[in-house]
Amino acid sequence: MSAILSFEQVSYRYPGAAANALHRVCLEVQEGDFCLLAGLSGDGKSTLLRAACGLVPHFHGGSFSGRVSVCGHDTREHGPAQVGAHVAVLFQDPETQLVMSSVRAELAMPLESRGQGPDEVARGVEEVALAIGVDQLLDRRTAELSGGEKQRVALAAALAGRPRLVLLDEPTSQLDPVAGEELIGLLRRLNQEWETTILLAEHRLERCLHVADRVIAMRQGGIAHDGDPRSFLTWASASAEHLQTPAARLLELACVDAPPPTGVRQARKSLRERGLLPGEPQTPAAGLAASPELVASAGAAALPGLAPERRRALARLAGLGRTSLPEPALRMRGVWHELPDGPSILRGADLSVMPGESIALMGRNGAGKSTLLRHAAGLLKPTRGRVQSSGRVALLLQNPGDYFLRERVELEASAGALARARLSDLGERHPRDLSGGERQRLALAIVTDTSQPPAVLALDEPTRGMDRGAKAALAQELRLRAQEGIAVIVATHDPEFAAACASRAVLLADGRVIADAPCAELLSGGWYFATETARVLGGHGGALLPSEGAAAIASLLAGARAA
Amino acid sequence: MRAGALSYRPSASPLHAARATAGACWALSLTVAVVLIDHPLILAAIGAAGLLAAFAAGVGRQVARTLRLALAIGIPIVLINVLVSRQGLTVFARLGDLGPFGQGDLTLEALVYGTVIALKVSIVILICALASLAVDPDELLGACRRISFRSALTASLTLRMVPLLAADSQRLAEAQQTRPDAQETGSLRRRALLLAASVGGALDRSLDVAATLELRGFAGATRVRRRRAPLSRHDLAFAASAGCMLAIAIAACFGAAARFDAYPMLRMSVSTATVGLCVAILAATLAPFISRRGIDPVRGR
């Protein structure tokens, strides 16, 4: 087997950095492999991909040692332009990867710049457009494409020269789940039908683990694990909990003695084989070893499988009808947002949020989530309807970098706010040098930095590009804010994050609220708006997170044993 | 006017369907005619032809909106010419002795000539708006890439990035409004900080774009070879219209039918030939819009 990409003892340090971004990396990728690059933010995934295409060190500078060979080219001798003829690269932000105004010109540009003749260019554009499924977009303006379309066009442009290796750096992080799934499906097709080698860095592993042949886990610039998806999940279970997928975590917590599942289907199969799939005949089989504590806790649960917080939320919602209602922190009544020369974005949206309540605002792209939050914060005025709040509405928009104006972190917010955001030690740093999670915490500190806490805290897609550890920390922070009496509203596409931080979910479609229910109800029974745990368990008991799912399984087991 | 309000969008019209070079030549021929001809009636005919062409191309409303800008530029031109020009014999107001500026006599000739200049500027603005809305800049720059690849690509990048950076700045400003200290900092200082942040963001973007260009082989780019594509009926129609328009403009420039002198006294020929010229201009400009065969209603090609 020939290695299409090889790293030999590669170490690299960015200019001015204190530590190596890559540390003695040794790696070989074979032709036709579908490799997944896993790791937390700052562990060196992006740097490894940049080294694989020659941008490190030619474009970024810094100190480099070792050898990277791509399709037989040593990157020390061949720059990105030469390596780029054999390698396609796709980064996170589709906006910066489209350089022309029309899709056809975008696809033609790499071929023209490599000196191909007009007929070859015309053929190349046609071929790649059909292969990637962007032929319907050829005459569209790049500025008018959706995020998913932009990313597909950028991939098509990168593939126009028929490279053998495709490097992707979190290409789905800026996309909604549907567009993300489409892109992963496309990569799988490229790999299966053309034997294109894929090296994909991704945070949401559950989305792509089932299509990968191999997972390379990085930690602090080095390779921590390299193996097939199941061996990776076994390793993650012992060494990197934040890299585990929800399904694998569920089976681990439920102490199901089965190989870690790489997807929902495998997880359900393992549970079914052991008679543990809710809704099916239970025949506890060999290999099942639920801990007595787990069984006991599940048996004690009034609502089987539900976490205490969620039970409290349900109980509170149930109790609201019986007692006198407190004043809502935010009340929106029949809010319309009608564009002067266009359609209505909101069509009579109604929403009430009580103090201390946290809700997840969900819906597909264009459903009106961001517009609703802007109305809540007073950035927009409704063309019809009313918005009332009991105090200030703090709004955190999608890109935390947009909040940073000053040169040092300590100048952006008060010492108290920085201490709460656990950023006191980073006061001297430039805000743009912070990691994704730190940026989000700083932006949150900025918008909530007032003597009086805000009545409502609204966040628009706060988890884009975040790793699972940072998401868990943010969810914890939002739960704390809710406990302090702040009403929290989070617009998100991520059902796992919604389940972790909210007690109630509101589903928007076409500018209207089409569902408003406790998370346990709304995120457990749907096709699309459902967590992986809920999909594994078929929505049983309203379990959304692996810990709740494990408790549900344990209660099932306890019931079966009692019977 | 909103950013991007005058940017090209594919549409099902003969002008959109014609190749960019044909469309650009057609617009250029109208502009040359405006420059060469001073006769107000014929200029009005060109202006009307341009406006009708804009409606025929489906961008009439956007083009008509630019006339507000033309008015804002035209009125000062007329006023300045009336006040500054010392030519013309028909005085309609005397402002007396203006010291170093001499006698402040306002003449009818200066007023009319100022109006003609304003009309010319307005028509040029109208034609430029029509061209930017209906002629594909990428295709046009693609043609330029055969001459200078990098310059044309840089121009393409600018076209792509300016609206993107404008949107970035708008997003930044929106985020700043949600800061609790939005009202505390002085507006001038805040604007300066916002500008610095916008520039920082633009530099970040430029780094990413540079990396993309590097990987797409920009460093080793060579001159693009020409692709011989067959001429469509719309290409031929607009090229023929451009040729006719140039011929009419030259004939009007040297013939008696379009004679117009503002100074020292107004003299303007109005004859059957003048009317004929106006009709010829309207016909030549609008003829390419008659046939709409072979245009895809969605792609505009």
Side-chain angles (χ1 to χ4, degrees):
Chain A
M1 286 259 278
S2 60
I4 196 166
L5 170 70
S6 71
F7 280 64
E8 294 171 35
Q9 292 291 329
V10 175
S11 293
Y12 172 71
R13 181 176 297 195
Y14 283 103
N20 279 354
L22 294 179
H23 187 64
R24 292 188 182 172
V25 173
C26 293
L27 175 69
E28 276 200 351
V29 176
Q30 307 300 329
E31 182 112 41
D33 274 358
F34 194 126
C35 296
L36 202 54
L37 209 50
L40 299 180
S41 294
D43 275 341
K45 302 188 296 298
S46 300
T47 309
L48 187 135
L49 292 175
R50 282 171 183 260
C53 62
L55 287 175
V56 162
H58 291 281
F59 188 77
H60 293 285
S63 62
F64 180 90
S65 66
R67 178 195 294 264
V68 177
S69 174
V70 192
C71 302
H73 293 77
D74 188 331
T75 60
R76 291 175 305 179
E77 292 154 19
H78 300 273
Q82 292 157 301
V83 173
H86 308 279
V87 176
V89 187
L90 198 63
F91 298 117
Q92 284 181 23
D93 185 1
E95 288 288 9
T96 50
Q97 295 171 87
L98 301 179
V99 290
M100 308 297 276
S101 301
S102 78
V103 174
R104 192 182 291 278
E106 187 69 41
L107 303 193
M109 185 257 178
L111 300 172
E112 287 175 345
S113 63
R114 293 191 202 289
Q116 293 199 4
D119 293 334
E120 291 163 288
V121 171
R123 186 188 157 194
V125 169
E126 201 68 18
E127 290 259 12
V128 78
L130 287 166
I132 305 300
V134 294
D135 50 308
Q136 297 298 316
L137 307 176
L138 276 175
D139 292 298
R140 295 266 301 275
R141 315 301 298 163
T142 46
E144 292 169 359
L145 303 177
S146 70
E149 288 171 339
K150 278 179 183 162
Q151 200 63 297
R152 266 164 54 210
V153 169
L155 179 64
L159 290 171
R162 297 220 54 181
R164 291 157 61 198
L165 171 64
V166 182
L167 309 171
L168 304 106
D169 189 3
E170 294 174 34
T172 65
S173 67
Q174 311 281 317
L175 308 183
D176 66 78
V178 175
E181 300 284 355
E182 275 177 5
L183 192 70
I184 299 295
L186 192 59
L187 294 176
R188 187 192 167 100
R189 238 186 82 214
L190 277 174
N191 179 252
Q192 296 284 325
E193 293 184 19
W194 290 280
E195 209 200 9
T196 308
T197 312
I198 310 278
L199 184 55
L200 166 68
E202 180 66 51
H203 280 313
R204 292 192 67 176
L205 298 175
E206 64 272 22
R207 191 180 269 174
C208 41
L209 207 56
H210 60 287
V211 299
D213 303 315
R214 176 178 164 197
V215 184
I216 300 160
M218 295 198 70
R219 182 180 281 167
Q220 294 176 347
I223 306 283
H225 177 83
D226 187 349
D228 63 60
R230 283 202 158 158
S231 77
F232 161 76
L233 287 170
T234 309
W235 169 83
S237 158
S239 313
E241 193 187 301
H242 283 311
L243 296 181
Q244 266 188 309
T245 60
R249 182 94 183 124
L250 168 67
L251 263 61
E252 187 193 57
L253 288 176
C255 301
V256 176
D257 185 18
T262 56
V264 170
R265 198 177 71 161
Q266 278 184 14
R268 284 180 66 84
K269 190 178 172 199
S270 293
L271 289 174
R272 186 179 288 119
E273 282 169 0
R274 287 155 183 80
L276 286 174
L277 201 58
E280 294 193 3
Q282 280 95 45
T283 49
L288 176 68
S291 67
E293 296 83 11
L294 199 60
V295 174
S297 70
L303 287 164
L306 284 188
E309 276 173 40
R310 210 177 302 289
R311 286 201 301 274
R312 279 198 295 276
L314 279 174
R316 191 165 62 215
L317 281 174
L320 285 179
R322 292 194 295 272
T323 57
S324 61
L325 288 172
E327 194 64 21
L330 177 74
R331 177 181 288 177
M332 303 177 90
R333 283 283 169 266
V335 172
W336 284 76
H337 185 81
E338 299 147 314
L339 296 179
D341 297 322
S344 297
I345 309 295
L346 292 179
R347 298 160 186 267
D350 292 313
L351 182 70
S352 282
V353 194
M354 308 307 283
E357 191 180 14
S358 52
I359 70 166
L361 207 54
M362 307 191 79
R364 60 182 156 82
N365 274 356
K369 302 186 297 294
S370 299
T371 307
L372 191 82
L373 293 187
R374 279 168 168 76
H375 277 286
L379 283 182
L380 295 173
K381 296 284 171 226
T383 45
R384 283 159 63 191
R386 289 179 71 185
V387 178
Q388 290 173 302
S389 64
S390 60
R392 196 173 80 83
V393 179
L395 172 62
L396 186 59
L397 295 166
Q398 282 183 15
N399 188 355
D402 291 346
Y403 288 87
F404 309 150
L405 291 182
R406 295 176 174 88
E407 298 292 310
R408 294 201 305 276
V409 168
E410 63 191 6
L411 299 176
E412 291 284 7
S414 68
L418 291 180
R420 172 158 195 175
R422 305 188 305 284
L423 293 169
S424 300
D425 297 341
L426 304 174
E428 292 291 318
R429 294 265 292 274
H430 193 289
R432 289 185 187 275
D433 292 338
L434 300 178
S435 71
E438 289 164 350
R439 279 172 170 227
Q440 192 68 264
R441 296 212 301 274
L442 178 57
L444 189 59
I446 290 169
V447 298
T448 55
D449 189 14
T450 45
S451 51
Q452 285 291 315
V456 182
L457 174 59
L459 301 97
D460 194 1
E461 289 286 345
T463 59
R464 292 209 323 185
M466 269 190 181
D467 62 47
R468 222 186 289 279
K471 278 185 201 176
L474 181 63
Q476 169 72 11
E477 175 64 24
L478 296 182
R479 283 197 300 267
L480 282 176
R481 302 265 178 181
Q483 280 168 16
E484 290 166 11
I486 298 174
V488 177
I489 311 174
V490 186
T492 182
H493 281 297
D494 186 341
E496 260 79 23
F497 181 72
C501 71
S503 55
R504 188 177 133 209
V506 174
L507 191 57
L508 278 181
D510 291 327
R512 271 188 285 264
V513 174
I514 58 164
D516 185 345
C519 281
E521 190 182 308
L522 208 145
L523 298 181
S524 62
W527 270 104
Y528 182 74
F529 294 101
T531 63
E532 193 169 67
T533 301
R535 280 184 280 138
V536 169
L537 298 179
H540 175 77
L544 301 178
L545 299 173
S547 55
E548 298 167 13
I553 290 172
S555 79
L556 202 70
L557 179 63
R561 279 183 180 161
Chain B
M1 197 174 288
R2 289 195 316 275
L6 280 184
S7 58
Y8 170 81
R9 282 209 182 117
S11 175
S13 87
L15 184 54
H16 287 83
R19 64 179 63 195
T21 42
C25 287
W26 176 81
L28 188 66
S29 71
L30 284 174
T31 312
V32 169
V34 172
V35 172
L36 291 180
I37 298 169
D38 285 340
H39 196 289
L41 268 183
I42 300 176
L43 282 175
I46 298 172
L51 199 58
L52 288 172
F55 278 103
V59 293
R61 282 175 63 188
Q62 293 101 304
V63 170
R65 265 183 235 148
T66 62
L67 289 177
R68 281 186 231 156
L69 171 71
L71 206 65
I73 296 173
I75 290 170
I77 290 174
V78 176
L79 289 175
I80 289 168
N81 196 62
V82 169
L83 291 170
V84 168
S85 176
R86 292 287 166 267
Q87 300 178 74
L89 299 174
T90 319
V91 177
F92 66 87
R94 292 186 191 281
L95 302 180
D97 189 4
L98 297 177
F101 300 105
Q103 289 294 315
D105 294 343
L106 308 184
T107 65
L108 178 67
E109 288 78 11
L111 179 71
V112 171
Y113 193 66
T115 308
V116 168
I117 301 283
L119 188 61
K120 282 185 171 213
V121 170
S122 302
I123 298 170
V124 170
I125 289 173
L126 186 148
I127 293 165
C128 289
L130 172 58
S132 61
L133 284 161
V135 177
D136 185 349
D138 257 338
E139 200 187 324
L140 203 56
L141 288 166
C144 297
R145 284 209 289 278
R146 290 198 288 271
I147 303 158
S148 170
F149 184 87
R150 292 188 181 200
S151 307
L153 190 59
T154 307
S156 297
L157 261 179
T158 311
L159 276 177
R160 160 95 182 101
M161 288 297 145
V162 166
L164 188 59
L165 294 177
D168 280 353
S169 300
Q170 198 172 350
R171 223 186 49 229
L172 267 171
E174 201 175 41
Q176 296 313 312
Q177 282 180 52
T178 66
R179 283 181 70 124
D181 59 354
Q183 307 303 321
E184 290 165 21
T185 323
S187 71
L188 197 63
R189 181 169 153 67
R190 177 159 290 279
R191 275 167 200 264
L193 287 169
L194 199 57
L195 184 65
S198 300
V199 172
L203 288 173
D204 280 351
R205 272 216 190 282
S206 67
L207 264 180
D208 291 342
V209 171
T212 302
L213 282 174
E214 191 69 24
L215 288 163
R216 303 255 172 100
F218 178 66
T222 52
R223 184 174 290 191
V224 178
R225 279 175 280 164
R226 188 178 170 199
R227 185 178 175 219
R228 294 188 186 279
L231 292 166
S232 72
R233 66 169 59 228
H234 305 292
D235 300 337
L236 290 168
F238 279 96
S241 170
C244 286
M245 186 51 97
L246 282 177
I248 292 168
I250 291 166
C253 190
F254 294 107
R259 192 169 165 194
F260 171 76
D261 295 311
Y263 302 116
M265 276 190 75
L266 288 174
R267 275 197 305 185
M268 183 169 75
S269 62
V270 180
S271 61
T272 318
T274 314
V275 176
L277 272 176
C278 293
V279 172
I281 284 169
L282 281 163
T285 309
L286 299 174
F289 290 93
I290 293 169
S291 171
R292 305 182 85 89
R293 274 173 188 258
I295 302 172
D296 187 305
V298 178
R299 294 164 63 215
R301 297 261 159 163

